[in-house]
Amino acid sequence: MSTRFDRIVEDNAWCPGCGNFSILAHLKEALEEMGLDPLQCVVVSGIGQAAKTPQYMHVHMFNGLHGRALPVAQGIKVSNPSLTVIAEGGDGDMYGEGGNHFMSAIRRNADIINIVHNNMVYGLTKGQASPTSQRGFKTPVQTEGVHVEPFNPIATAISLDASLVIRTFSGNKEHCKEMLKIAIAHKGYVLIDIFQPCVTFNKINTFKWFKENVYVLPSEYNPEDKVKAFEKSLESHPFPIGVIYKSPQKGVLEDVLRDESQIGSKPLYLHEVDFHALSNEMNKYI
Ligand SMILES: Cc1ncc(C[n+]2csc(CCOP(=O)(O)OP(=O)(O)O)c2C)c(N)n1
Ligand code: SF4
């Protein structure tokens, strides 16, 4: 399906068969089907294979330091709340290098969508273990296998009372697209952890492995029951996919700051900038 979010790219750096291609396609289709304007969307990323996603889309983008997508995304949303803001990256980028930002973003609850391509490995740097690598996973660095249990992003997000917590699988097109639409429509911070096979550096957690190790949550499952959701987050082999947790409604960061008069009623980007005062301030540090 062609979308207004397509961008002609001649030098895509991903390996043929990588799960990133389907996430990119599902995301563009979800945004298109929801009728969003590409120029009202900002996709922010850090470093990694997954973090290249915004470069392959027709949207506003910001590609920054490893693990630093979330603070930038929150800043953009607070400055201009009318934008749809997505922070995107791999499991290493978001849970490793950016782990502290991951926890802070959940607590602050800006209205952003946090998409994590979870391939359980560091793809860009050629296959070292990431925080979500399964115990026993052997790599050229972890030659005897990873000795510790994997980081559980779903349990962490629920324990911090994230506004919405979703897991899906890039290989299940309908599910992944539906979950992306739910995430985009939600007001508040959303974690959407997407299982994504890295066909080059993770020969254990393959497409077939993910397919055999996930199950879709039944329709009667109630994501608003926090204790049940926490129990679900601890399940593995198979891992549940779907909307795992939805917290009771709470204020989003940009509204809270406005209501508490820290940024006034006008969006921050419409405020006059006193460049003279700004330059004086910056000169103090040069
Ligand atoms: C501060 C810092 N540490 C380490 C690196 C090296 N580095 C670049 S990408 C990467 C791992 C990326 O893995 P992940 O986020 O899981 O994404 P993937 O490539 O698998 O999509 C690392 C460690 C870096 N660029 N900056
Ligand atoms: S190294 Fe892995 S994650 Fe990176 S593009 Fe290739 S298959 Fe995808």
Side-chain angles (χ1 to χ4, degrees):
M1 167 182 170
S2 72
T3 76
R4 287 165 305 138
F5 293 84
D6 295 342
R7 201 176 141 217
I8 297 163
V9 180
E10 276 154 17
D11 57 344
N12 187 309
W14 292 335
C15 313
C18 173
N20 285 334
F21 285 105
S22 8
I23 299 180
L24 172 65
H26 304 335
L27 176 61
K28 289 191 299 186
E29 287 184 26
L31 292 163
E32 179 68 57
E33 288 170 20
M34 292 173 80
L36 290 169
D37 174 357
L39 298 182
Q40 283 295 304
C41 296
V42 189
V43 187
V44 184
S45 66
I47 300 294
Q49 300 283 33
K52 291 176 185 157
T53 303
Q55 296 172 24
Y56 307 144
M57 298 176 73
H58 174 57
V59 284
H60 290 294
M61 63 158 290
F62 184 96
N63 188 215
L65 298 174
H66 203 11
R68 306 292 181 250
L70 282 166
V72 177
Q74 292 166 84
I76 292 171
K77 186 69 190 182
V78 168
S79 307
N80 186 352
S82 66
L83 298 170
T84 298
V85 182
I86 297 172
E88 179 139 23
D91 43 286
D93 190 59
M94 290 292 176
Y95 305 141
E97 283 76 9
N100 189 17
H101 295 303
F102 171 61
M103 292 188 280
S104 299
I106 294 171
R107 288 179 52 237
R108 291 197 192 108
N109 195 37
D111 179 21
I112 60 172
I113 304 121
N114 185 188
I115 300 176
V116 184
H117 302 218
N118 187 353
N119 54 20
M120 303 179 173
V121 72
Y122 277 175
L124 187 70
T125 46
K126 303 193 185 314
Q128 303 86 356
S130 84
T132 55
S133 294
Q134 302 288 286
R135 190 166 184 177
F137 182 64
K138 288 189 178 158
T139 81
V141 176
Q142 289 79 18
T143 51
E144 292 176 7
V146 173
H147 291 292
V148 291
E149 289 300 325
F151 176 67
N152 185 332
I154 305 293
T156 304
I158 296 171
S159 71
L160 291 168
D161 203 39
S163 186
L164 192 65
V165 182
I166 296 174
R167 177 187 272 144
T168 182
F169 167 42
S170 66
N172 183 337
K173 178 175 180 181
E174 288 318 311
H175 192 268
C176 189
K177 204 158 81 169
E178 186 198 334
M179 292 300 123
L180 280 162
K181 285 183 178 176
I182 291 173
I184 294 161
H186 182 77
K187 183 160 179 174
Y189 170 90
V190 186
L191 168 66
I192 173 162
D193 181 272
I194 308 182
F195 284 149
Q196 169 250 325
C198 168
V199 294
T200 302
F201 294 112
N202 189 338
K203 305 286 189 193
I204 304 292
N205 310 111
T206 58
F207 182 88
K208 185 168 175 284
W209 186 93
F210 280 119
K211 207 166 169 217
E212 288 168 357
N213 279 278
V214 298
Y215 76 95
V216 178
L217 284 167
S219 55
E220 64 272 17
Y221 173 75
N222 174 15
E224 294 180 18
D225 182 335
K226 191 170 184 180
V227 174
K228 280 265 154 49
F230 197 75
E231 278 171 21
K232 280 284 156 209
S233 74
L234 301 179
E235 285 183 16
S236 57
H237 315 91
F239 296 85
I241 59 172
V243 176
I244 298 179
Y245 178 61
K246 189 171 190 306
S247 90
Q249 252 192 343
K250 51 185 176 178
V252 296
L253 181 66
E254 51 277 26
D255 292 349
V256 170
L257 291 180
R258 195 189 50 235
D259 293 348
E260 292 177 5
S261 297
Q262 294 188 27
I263 54 175
S265 56
K266 226 174 19 175
L268 206 53
Y269 82 104
L270 292 177
H271 285 230
E272 294 279 319
V273 179
D274 182 345
F275 286 104
H276 185 67
L278 184 65
S279 136
N280 281 348
E281 206 49 43
M282 290 180 81
N283 282 338
K284 288 182 195 165
Y285 302 96
I286 295 174

